[in-house]
Amino acid sequence: VRVIRRYHIQDPEDYHKYNKLVGKITQLTHALTKLPTHDRLRLSQTSALLSKLYSLGLIPAETSLAATAAISASAFCRRRIPVVMARLGMAQNVKDAARMVQQGHVRVGPEVVKDPAMLLTRSMEDYLTWTDASKIKRKVMEFNDEVDDYDLIG
């Protein structure tokens, strides 16, 4: 319940899905550790699993299977758009960030995102920004003295 409140998860079913994913990752890790150390299947699958988990932002580095033991449902929650926005300083807190996402002020790449449950990968995090028509973007630009004449027309 504390995790649901901390990360402002509106649908508790999302948290249950994250727990199921953690269980599947744990099962897969356990199955891989049962294989012989120098088995080609173990090496290839371990490499694939670690690179996937790293690109998702769930583990800090692609070092070993021991890093997968630290994955929890909270790791998935930390990859949600409102949490990333709060960490990047785009919002004061997670609740405000979730409200801004629901109102359509945020985009990832060219797509406007209105679902705060969307998980961001490490590469998608670079493309997280305000929509062009957002009043918030305009206020930030005014504060940073980045507004030009073309922006004043709109």
Side-chain angles (χ1 to χ4, degrees):
V1 175
R2 283 189 292 164
V3 173
I4 291 175
R5 281 194 209 130
R6 176 186 293 153
Y7 296 111
H8 197 69
I9 299 174
Q10 287 99 355
D11 187 9
E13 186 63 29
D14 290 339
Y15 183 71
H16 296 297
K17 288 177 187 176
Y18 301 152
N19 273 327
K20 287 180 183 178
L21 286 171
V22 169
K24 295 286 185 186
I25 292 169
T26 305
Q27 285 178 350
L28 183 58
T29 303
H30 184 67
L32 286 173
T33 54
K34 285 184 176 181
L35 293 173
T37 308
H38 298 293
D39 186 25
R40 287 190 321 149
L41 177 66
R42 177 182 173 160
L43 294 174
S44 65
Q45 293 302 314
T46 299
S47 174
L49 177 65
L50 291 176
S51 66
K52 183 62 133 176
L53 294 176
Y54 178 76
S55 69
L56 287 173
L58 299 177
I59 56 175
E62 297 180 47
T63 53
S64 69
L65 281 177
T68 61
I71 295 176
S72 64
S74 296
F76 281 97
C77 294
R78 285 190 293 270
R79 299 309 302 172
R80 293 168 58 99
I81 288 182
V83 178
V84 173
M85 286 177 61
R87 185 170 39 87
L88 293 176
M90 293 176 72
Q92 294 266 330
N93 54 43
V94 178
K95 184 177 180 179
D96 291 341
R99 186 173 28 83
M100 289 181 224
V101 170
Q102 288 174 335
Q103 291 173 354
H105 290 288
V106 178
R107 66 183 169 105
V108 178
E111 299 294 322
V112 175
V113 178
K114 292 189 176 186
D115 183 17
M118 181 180 173
L119 300 176
L120 288 179
T121 63
R122 288 182 192 270
S123 60
M124 290 170 59
E125 191 173 322
D126 296 335
Y127 299 105
L128 179 66
T129 185
W130 304 111
T131 57
D132 293 331
S134 174
K135 296 283 185 183
I136 297 169
K137 178 180 179 179
R138 184 174 178 88
K139 288 290 184 187
V140 169
M141 289 177 69
E142 287 175 3
F143 180 78
N144 293 331
D145 290 328
E146 296 175 353
V147 179
D148 59 4
D149 296 336
Y150 180 74
D151 292 328
L152 292 174
I153 295 172

